[in-house]
Amino acid sequence: MRWSTAYIPTLKEAPADAEVVSHRLLVRAGMIRKLAAGIYSYLPLGLKALARVERVVREEMDRAGAQEVLLPAVQPADLWLESGRWDRYGKELLRFKDRHQRDSCLGPTHEEVITDLLRGEVRSYRQLPVILYQIQTKFRDEIRPRFGLMRGREFIMKDAYSFDRDSAGADASYQAMSEAYRRIFQRLGLRFRVVEADSGAIGGAFSHEFMVLARTGEDVIAVCPACDYAANVERAEILPPESTDSAQPPPPAEISTPGLHTVAEVCAFLGLPPTRLVKTLLFMADGRPVAALVRGDREINEVKLKNFLQAGDLRLASPGEVACLTGAPPGFAGPVNLPVPRLVADQELAARQGWITGANRTDTHLENVSLARDAAISAYADLRSMADGDACPRCRRPVTSMRGIEVGHVFKLGLKYSQAMNAVFLDEEGRERHMVMGCYGIGVSRVVAAAIEQNHDDHGIVFPPPLAPFPVILANLDVKSAGCSARAEELYVLLQGEGLDVLLDDREERPGVKFKDMDLVGAPMQLILGARGLARDAVEAKDRRTGAREELPLTGFLPAFRRWRDEVCAGWSADAG
Ligand code: ATP
Ligand code: MG
């Protein structure tokens, strides 16, 4: 491709609404353009990056025995009513009526459609297992679609579904898919971790997430440096406290805390660390109030709380609701005499007595609170997120936390959908049985964004070679010089002969513009040809990742280029670990 005729509208400035670096750089590099909130057009460079991801995904899915299909984007409500998700999925499901007033939706995922497809046709155990996948546009009406391709409303997903005769078969399919996922992210040159995950709204037996490691990631994962344990902190299991203190403090006493609403304010006022406080948070779980207690320096993990309560819907109570329930404004809720039917406490709170809590009265707290003696705690449970230094649930060494971006998710679904939608087959003995399912997603468009979040610098994108729209850019600095242009054309042909997608910058632009654009769009290998180099029979080669430059001879170019290319790629592999 020649830059002079390519549609690569690079920009100096990022759009004002771009909050994350991948969004800024994707727009500036001329890869995407926004149409509406969370909805983007892919321009040639963006589409090329997507195609690179898709190609690796297809190869590895096919190798693992999955077969490609393409399912409809529009889905009838009937199927979602059958699975029970029409009511449960919430506002992310974009619903509409067609001209005959039939309820429909835009597919956010395809468990219903695929289960419907197979239940009509698979009759015998001999037809199983089956793994089908597709690469397709999904629509989820995300509440905060503000991170470009990281969290779009319309985005591209690879989703796969496995159907097996029994649980052992489903485990084998899960293994095969997990293995394929590892290969995919390895081949794409990304640094990633596989972590235990929560199975959330899709439901099912167990699941793992594939996390691209990046400081800017939305997810926090806990990793044990000693064993191979890694988990999303949303789900990481915290061990119960080792010792408990049963010595009772004196009776609770009120302390006046005028205008002090936050843990930090109360602690500063009392001169105590936040570990001495209990925070009491009020939630509405399926419309019923619940109080959740956690130590002052911790946060309630809503995923764990929701799972523990087995609630379909969980939200923080509004300030008005808090006032109604406690008789005080937010900031002063406490567990003593709290008229809420359920009080659940994080297990850590069982370890000691003598807490500071809210008093359910304006400008008042209590000291010397013993939860065992003074409050009606319904249950102690693991309700907070794992943090740095918590014990690894496998080997008890302290874990460390890091940030990641979820690019893939594998679930063992079990019988969830096959039972709800009656997807059955006849086994060897002629008995009717439900198919055992798994589902496996990769956010194809998010992978491109995640690659950029992980690999960029002040000058722009630094694409791993397998993902780069153009792995090599050849900049001709002197397009007006016939000698230089002739040499550039020769190199262009030679490089293409190596099977490389090359972008030849033959624009009539100043060298400075070419250098800036080349860095911005992130080609990992840059070749720079100018009149001065030409006179010395040399072309300059720049490794975009390290910035290292060297001269390659024009006479005997190919062997020198191959050696350099291998070095650049080896550097990437070493970096990816
Ligand atoms: P998240 O927690 O980020 O919302 P999810 O758990 O809803 O993700 P899945 O339903 O498992 O995601 O979807 C499979 C994959 O699709 C995810 O691993 C992610 O890479 C991608 N994905 C999900 N939602 C979006 C989105 N709004 N924009 C881009 N990619 C997405
Ligand atoms: Mg989601």
Side-chain angles (χ1 to χ4, degrees):
M1 173 79 78
R2 287 162 205 280
W3 206 321
S4 58
T5 52
Y7 189 64
I8 308 176
T10 56
L11 301 174
K12 282 213 181 64
E13 300 292 328
D17 67 339
E19 290 181 40
V20 297
V21 67
S22 61
H23 186 188
R24 288 199 289 275
L25 290 175
L26 280 161
V27 174
R28 285 192 53 213
M31 297 180 73
I32 60 167
R33 287 293 181 262
K34 178 165 123 180
L35 177 64
I39 303 181
Y40 295 89
S41 304
Y42 299 98
L43 308 192
L45 276 195
L47 190 62
K48 245 177 177 316
L50 277 184
R52 300 243 180 255
V53 179
E54 290 181 9
R55 178 165 171 196
V56 173
V57 167
R58 285 202 170 89
E59 285 176 4
E60 293 303 332
M61 284 291 113
D62 294 348
R63 184 209 294 266
Q67 299 164 71
E68 187 166 2
V69 294
L70 184 56
L71 305 171
V74 171
Q75 307 183 8
D78 298 352
L79 290 179
W80 288 74
L81 285 164
E82 244 189 278
S83 73
R85 286 208 288 186
W86 184 253
D87 297 320
R88 250 185 294 127
Y89 207 92
K91 290 191 176 157
E92 279 184 24
L93 185 64
L94 185 66
R95 302 151 208 253
F96 57 93
K97 288 187 195 293
D98 67 12
R99 68 201 296 165
H100 304 291
Q101 300 303 308
R102 281 182 296 237
D103 281 317
S104 309
C105 62
L106 277 185
T109 175
H110 280 70
E111 284 79 12
E112 282 80 0
V113 171
I114 197 101
T115 307
D116 177 62
L117 183 74
L118 266 83
R119 70 174 165 183
E121 271 140 15
V122 171
R123 301 259 170 257
S124 154
Y125 69 93
R126 288 191 202 88
Q127 292 163 280
L128 297 175
V130 178
I131 307 180
L132 300 177
Y133 76 95
Q134 64 171 341
I135 296 179
Q136 192 231 23
T137 298
K138 298 280 187 275
F139 194 93
R140 295 183 182 179
D141 208 352
E142 300 273 359
I143 182 167
R144 278 181 217 94
R146 42 182 190 149
F147 295 149
L149 297 191
M150 293 272 275
R151 185 171 294 287
R153 290 199 296 155
E154 188 176 303
F155 62 97
I156 297 173
M157 196 201 286
K158 185 287 302 178
D159 44 330
Y161 305 88
S162 64
F163 295 83
D164 275 272
R165 301 172 194 180
D166 51 29
S167 188
D171 289 349
S173 295
Y174 187 91
Q175 276 312 320
M177 284 294 110
S178 301
E179 202 39 53
Y181 273 38
R182 279 177 203 275
R183 295 182 56 94
I184 288 167
F185 297 116
Q186 249 155 27
R187 281 184 59 185
L188 290 174
L190 297 169
R191 276 171 278 128
F192 69 99
R193 286 296 294 241
V194 189
V195 306
E196 294 179 11
D198 181 74
S199 27
I202 302 220
F206 56 83
S207 82
H208 288 87
E209 286 166 346
F210 288 72
M211 294 282 185
V212 162
L213 303 177
R215 281 195 316 277
T216 51
E218 258 190 303
D219 286 280
V220 184
I221 65 180
V223 176
C224 175
C227 68
D228 66 352
Y229 179 80
N232 192 318
V233 296
E234 276 184 357
R235 113 117 207 185
E237 178 204 338
I238 299 172
L239 297 171
E242 283 185 359
S243 60
T244 53
D245 173 11
S246 51
Q248 291 298 340
E254 288 192 351
I255 356 175
S256 169
T257 49
L260 308 176
H261 296 262
T262 66
V263 169
E265 287 163 354
V266 176
C267 287
F269 177 72
L270 298 175
L272 289 173
T275 50
R276 294 288 308 281
L277 259 75
V278 166
K279 276 196 281 201
T280 303
L281 291 139
L282 288 147
F283 287 89
M284 301 301 283
D286 294 328
R288 281 199 294 273
V290 176
L293 278 56
V294 70
R295 211 170 72 181
D297 57 327
R298 311 285 198 193
E299 300 301 329
I300 282 282
N301 173 326
E302 292 193 24
V303 174
K304 286 185 175 178
L305 180 62
K306 189 172 172 193
N307 289 344
F308 176 74
L309 297 171
Q310 297 201 313
D313 180 59
L314 182 78
R315 62 171 176 82
L316 265 176
S318 67
E321 286 165 336
V322 171
C324 269
L325 290 164
T326 67
F332 299 98
V336 181
N337 297 325
L338 180 65
V340 165
R342 269 184 108 175
L343 272 71
V344 293
D346 182 61
Q347 56 188 5
E348 190 174 35
L349 299 183
R352 62 186 301 276
Q353 309 297 335
W355 298 101
I356 310 284
T357 72
N360 301 318
R361 259 185 51 200
T362 309
D363 295 343
T364 315
H365 279 77
L366 294 177
E367 60 181 347
N368 301 329
V369 172
S370 154
L371 293 181
R373 180 191 63 196
D374 308 319
I377 304 294
S378 335
Y380 288 89
D382 174 10
L383 297 180
R384 68 176 175 91
S385 297
M386 190 173 264
D388 262 334
D390 276 329
C392 166
R394 297 246 177 88
C395 74
R396 294 191 168 264
R397 303 275 181 76
V399 299
T400 48
S401 62
M402 41 179 99
R403 292 199 158 264
I405 299 163
E406 180 197 325
V407 287
H409 203 165
V410 293
F411 292 90
K412 183 177 177 194
L413 291 169
L415 303 179
K416 188 176 151 89
Y417 294 91
S418 51
Q419 270 175 350
M421 298 181 64
N422 201 34
V424 293
F425 66 99
L426 296 177
D427 70 8
E428 289 95 324
E429 275 99 52
R431 280 177 314 204
E432 205 169 71
R433 294 169 69 135
H434 289 105
M435 301 179 207
V436 188
M437 290 174 57
C439 75
Y440 317 92
I442 290 183
V444 172
S445 43
R446 187 184 281 182
V447 167
V448 174
I452 297 172
E453 294 287 335
Q454 186 177 74
N455 304 287
H456 66 268
D457 61 18
D458 291 346
H459 306 291
I461 304 171
V462 188
F463 270 123
L467 252 162
F470 290 100
V472 184
I473 294 183
L474 169 59
N476 176 2
L477 300 186
D478 290 290
V479 282
K480 294 220 175 79
S481 136
C484 215
S485 294
R487 226 24 203 276
E489 292 295 330
E490 276 171 31
L491 291 185
Y492 183 48
V493 172
L494 281 178
L495 289 164
Q496 284 176 320
E498 294 294 282
L500 285 166
D501 229 333
V502 189
L503 182 62
L504 170 61
D505 192 350
D506 56 346
R507 294 174 299 171
E508 288 194 16
E509 288 284 1
R510 285 180 293 111
V513 172
K514 297 195 175 193
F515 294 143
K516 278 213 163 63
D517 276 349
M518 210 157 37
D519 279 354
L520 176 61
V521 303
M525 292 176 266
Q526 301 180 355
L527 294 172
I528 301 146
L529 185 69
R532 262 186 288 155
L534 191 61
R536 285 203 307 280
D537 189 46
V539 57
E540 190 177 34
K542 179 179 146 191
D543 180 337
R544 173 72 179 88
R545 187 180 66 93
T546 61
R549 295 162 189 270
E550 64 179 274
E551 287 203 333
L552 303 180
L554 287 168
T555 313
F557 170 73
L558 267 190
F561 170 76
R562 287 182 190 137
R563 187 222 8 107
W564 177 71
R565 174 198 61 198
D566 292 348
E567 273 173 29
V568 171
C569 294
W572 271 97
S573 316
D575 194 40

